[in-house]
Amino acid sequence: MNQALPTVSPTLWTTRSSRVRKTGTWRTAAPHYHATPAPCLAACPVNGRIAEWIGEMRNDNLRRAWDVLVDNNPFPAIAGRICHHPCESACNRQFHDQAVSICALERVAGDAALAAGWRFAPPAEERGERVAIVGGGPAGLSAAYQLRRRGIQVSLFESMPKLGGLMRYGIPDYRLDKAVLDGEIGRIVDLGIDLHLGHAVGGAEALQALRERHDAVYLATGASLAKRLPGLDYGKAWLIDSAEFLAAANSGAPVACGERVVVVGGGSAAMDVARTARRLGKQVTVLALEPEAKLPAQRVEVDEAVEEGVRFVCGAMLRSTQAGPAGLALECVRVDFAPGAKRGEFSVTPVAGSAFTLEADAVVPSIGQDADVERWRALVGAHGRVLGTDRTWRTSAEGIFAGGDVASMDRFVTQAVGMGKQAAIEIARYVAGEPAGDGFEVGATVPFGEINTHYYPGAERNEAATAAPEQRLQGFGEVQRALTAQQAHDETQRCFSCGTCTHCDNCYYYCPDIAIEKTDVGYAVKYDYCKGCGLCVEECPTGSVTMRAEAML
């Protein structure tokens, strides 16, 4: 007699669930969610969370974007106009088509805040520690802002009648409207700062007295000593200091310089002098050691100067000056220029038989400025032409910190803002009796190869418009315009949001094992079931999910 065999059901039918199949034991690597710094953040002088605030703008939340911006930089409207934007040179988008117009977007947020009258929130609590800041330029104001946010009392000493330093007295209105400057400085002052305007701290003895009355001191006195060209008689009326020239022009005072002006130098300050002189109706020639392709000024500054009628004589140097009844005869020679290993170092070799003459009524040397370190040397040690500091901006004198141009050769406004922020963080630690930090290195960033560019079709970069050259020369109105609302919206769409999760749900939908689950703050991996196939990583458009090798379970 044939017996019927028992029926055996598959396990799935028996358990009614696949959860017993913990396929995660198969994998050798697993995905992990983590926020990784974008290259733009690492390159940003203030380490601003660029991907985050652009994301807020993309979601039409300008106020939140501004809040994220000013966490690191209280001057977004200023930076959006004058920053040298190294973030854009680091932007991953440049390897796909063109870098994102980060600087122009920052201006949009900054201008919106000024128009709406947004203010900084007062400190959550007031503390008893008091810090003195010497210098009311970008580094000093940045430090004051960050210290007041932490409730620390701040006394600020500025030798000039108004705050701003280089931003007020060195940058022309056509680059930075002073109403913008006043608006962003005013917000900082409103946090409650004990201001001492027109008050110079004379030297080491006065600095020591200041230190004794405060828990710490931050030196941010900038670089105020003009470098001098050899062989020139600085007592002559036709030789004009570049800083004095710009300060006079910025204040509306007349500048006696004749009709023909030769500006010596190729940096941003030289461009400011040359373009200011053009607005005063002068014939202007720029004489620079560097060949045109290696001028230290930003390329846009050079291009706009050319548009405005500035003549460039590059790869040449001034040898001597002869004054005569018809004006000045500047004896010059062509040179071979070779940059040195360090910033500011170079060598020049005159080219035989290349002498030539330029005619002028005034010469404005604009070859940079040095910090007045001798003023403090009896109390604070110096390293060459700047005050000596460690990586947390502490000097050799107990309780005295320094930053900006007096402590660094990185002569950019936003570099100074970043130094002020970093110093404030360390000063707050110091006055609280906490140990010094480890510095401010960002670490590894998201490489372009981790961005899934399939999700980013090619899109042309949105550029801000500029005033026509003939319009520029009519006065000191701003040259650069703001992006339109549509341009700004379109530009935010171009940002890869490198290393920042945008909650797009790609990982959730593409996971073949349903091993990704949504949480209140993002996503989580159910490692019991994840086989480590890496599909979530491949489909992530921002590089915020990565695979990490691990031992088999």
Side-chain angles (χ1 to χ4, degrees), residues 539-552:
E539 293 300 330
C540 176
T542 68
S544 56
V545 191
T546 58
M547 296 297 289
R548 186 178 70 186
E550 61 181 6
M552 290 184 65

Side-chain angles (χ1 to χ4, degrees), residues 332-356:
C332 308
V333 65
R334 300 285 177 182
V335 297
D336 287 327
F337 176 88
K342 296 181 181 179
R343 181 181 175 86
E345 293 183 352
F346 59 87
S347 62
V348 293
T349 304
V351 177
S354 65
F356 63 96

